[in-house]
Amino acid sequence: MNAILESVDCRCPLADGSVLTLTASRRPRAGRAEVKCVVPDDARLAERMQQVLRLARLTEAGFDSRDQVVLSLDRRPPDGERGWELAAVLADRTVRGLLRPQASLAANGWSDGWERGRVDGNTLGAVPAGDALLGGAGGLPHLGLLSGHADPSAAVSTARAWFPLHSGEAGSLAWVEVSVHPLAGHGGPETLEEEQTIAAPDQDAARQLAVRQVLAGARHYDGRALGRWRSVVRFGADAFAGRSWELALVMADRLARGREFVPRGRLIASGCSGAWHAGRVDEVDGLAPKCALLLREAGPGDRILLPRAWQERLPEGYTEQLRTQGASLACVERIGII
């Protein structure tokens, strides 16, 4: 462990020749959020910064919840500028003692996969970087190199499942993706709640809470699944309603954790539950349009899971029709090895 400072500055050179300064400070958490971010006149960007840090922390071996880190930008960056992302990650890790303090810390880099420790590139192009660390090929391609370690994405397992969207008679399939990273433990004095290890970026507060509750409940049913993973959940659809996605989320999580047989094609599921901790699968609305959609979309190797309560109400010959298309169907009342 490196020396821990109370405050760290990290510069971020920009393509227009100007420099942003990020300041990270550390204080006792005292029941507050583990990360707080401040950007002048831009609350939305502050939320994005908080999301970047939380996702990047998923690649760390442990989690110390005793301190709160407060990050601030000295000014609002130009629209579309993302080079500050790597600078924020470096400042956050340095102020928590995970990286060796430097007399002059500077960086420019961005990523669409911080939860995998990936650094996709930088925003400087041909502009001289000075002493700044640049993200991407030829610079820092992944966060593991900061400590001389292997690419952390090698330890991440990712799986997708699909669920039906419908509006009247029109609809489509949407996907939900779960990435899990082994959780080695944390240094805080209190027990880390399962829901604290689950992130759902780009979702509103209500959907994030629902995702955490569903996964925490379903993992409780697994017996030994709690306290072992850090997880990121992403949805392919921008907006959708209802709870049909819940069973697909649970199945994607089980696939990512090696708790389910992998189908030859896609795993497509529709179902919810009022008691995921008991492994129960309840029915959802829209049997007729969803069955029609699944019949249109199903292909060779696809595995379709529907609630057990639907089995007697499926259209006549429905299972056989799916089989002729190379897909299989199971109506389930509990999760497990399906």
Side-chain angles (χ1 to χ4, degrees):
M1 181 67 72
N2 298 298
I4 299 180
L5 305 176
E6 294 295 328
S7 180
V8 167
D9 287 340
C10 184
R11 296 178 293 108
C12 176
L14 304 180
D16 62 5
S18 64
V19 177
L20 287 174
T21 300
L22 294 91
T23 301
S25 59
R26 181 176 49 84
R27 63 183 181 182
R29 186 171 177 182
R32 296 179 287 248
E34 77 279 13
V35 176
K36 178 181 179 181
C37 297
V38 180
V39 178
D41 302 319
D42 198 333
R44 186 179 296 275
L45 187 60
E47 292 179 2
R48 169 60 186 165
M49 183 184 294
Q50 185 182 57
Q51 181 185 105
V52 165
L53 295 181
R54 285 175 170 168
L55 292 177
R57 287 184 178 192
L58 295 176
T59 63
E60 298 172 5
F63 178 82
D64 190 334
S65 60
R66 291 171 293 183
D67 291 333
Q68 180 190 58
V69 173
V70 181
L71 268 90
S72 63
L73 277 173
D74 63 339
R75 60 185 175 87
R76 185 178 180 276
D79 291 340
E81 173 62 55
R82 297 181 60 188
W84 56 264
E85 293 182 12
L86 179 58
V89 171
L90 294 184
D92 175 54
R93 294 194 171 192
T94 302
V95 81
R96 290 185 291 124
L98 301 182
L99 296 177
R100 185 182 301 278
Q102 300 180 30
S104 179
L105 186 62
N108 182 301
W110 59 272
S111 176
D112 287 329
W114 285 116
E115 70 274 14
R116 297 178 177 86
R118 193 178 70 211
V119 189
D120 293 324
N122 63 80
T123 62
L124 290 185
V127 177
D131 59 351
L133 176 64
L134 298 183
L140 182 74
H142 62 80
L143 294 177
L145 284 181
L146 293 171
S147 304
H149 297 164
D151 187 345
S153 65
V156 178
S157 175
T158 301
R160 281 184 181 181
W162 280 257
F163 59 97
L165 299 173
H166 78 92
S167 176
E169 292 302 318
S172 61
L173 293 179
W175 54 260
V176 57
E177 178 183 274
V178 178
S179 299
V180 295
H181 189 286
L183 180 64
H186 67 101
E190 71 274 12
T191 300
L192 188 64
E193 295 292 335
E194 187 72 13
E195 293 185 19
Q196 291 181 261
T197 69
I198 300 168
D202 303 322
Q203 300 300 309
D204 60 29
R207 177 72 43 76
Q208 290 183 42
L209 178 60
V211 164
R212 291 174 180 137
Q213 290 177 337
V214 168
L215 283 190
R219 290 177 180 179
H220 175 85
Y221 181 71
D222 261 2
R224 298 183 60 187
L226 297 176
R228 299 182 59 191
W229 311 97
R230 293 183 178 182
S231 312
V232 176
V233 176
R234 296 188 184 276
F235 290 91
D238 292 332
F240 51 93
R243 299 173 59 194
S244 178
W245 53 270
E246 290 186 12
L247 181 57
L249 169 65
V250 170
M251 297 307 297
D253 179 57
R254 292 176 63 82
L255 285 171
R257 294 187 291 111
R259 296 287 293 164
E260 202 67 49
F261 292 117
V262 181
R264 290 188 298 112
R266 299 168 297 179
L267 195 154
I268 306 170
S270 181
C272 66
S273 179
W276 281 117
H277 65 278
R280 193 180 76 211
V281 178
D282 298 333
E283 65 175 311
V284 291
D285 296 331
L287 183 152
K290 287 179 180 176
C291 284
L293 169 62
L294 293 173
L295 199 60
R296 293 195 305 269
E297 296 287 340
D302 287 347
R303 179 67 163 160
I304 299 172
L305 303 180
L306 299 176
R308 176 65 178 82
W310 281 13
Q311 186 163 343
E312 305 303 324
R313 292 184 280 143
L314 293 175
E316 185 176 355
Y318 188 72
T319 302
E320 289 71 24
Q321 285 182 285
L322 288 172
R323 189 177 295 121
T324 63
Q325 296 174 207
S328 62
L329 169 69
C331 292
V332 300
E333 58 184 353
R334 294 192 184 276
I335 57 175
I337 300 297
I338 300 174

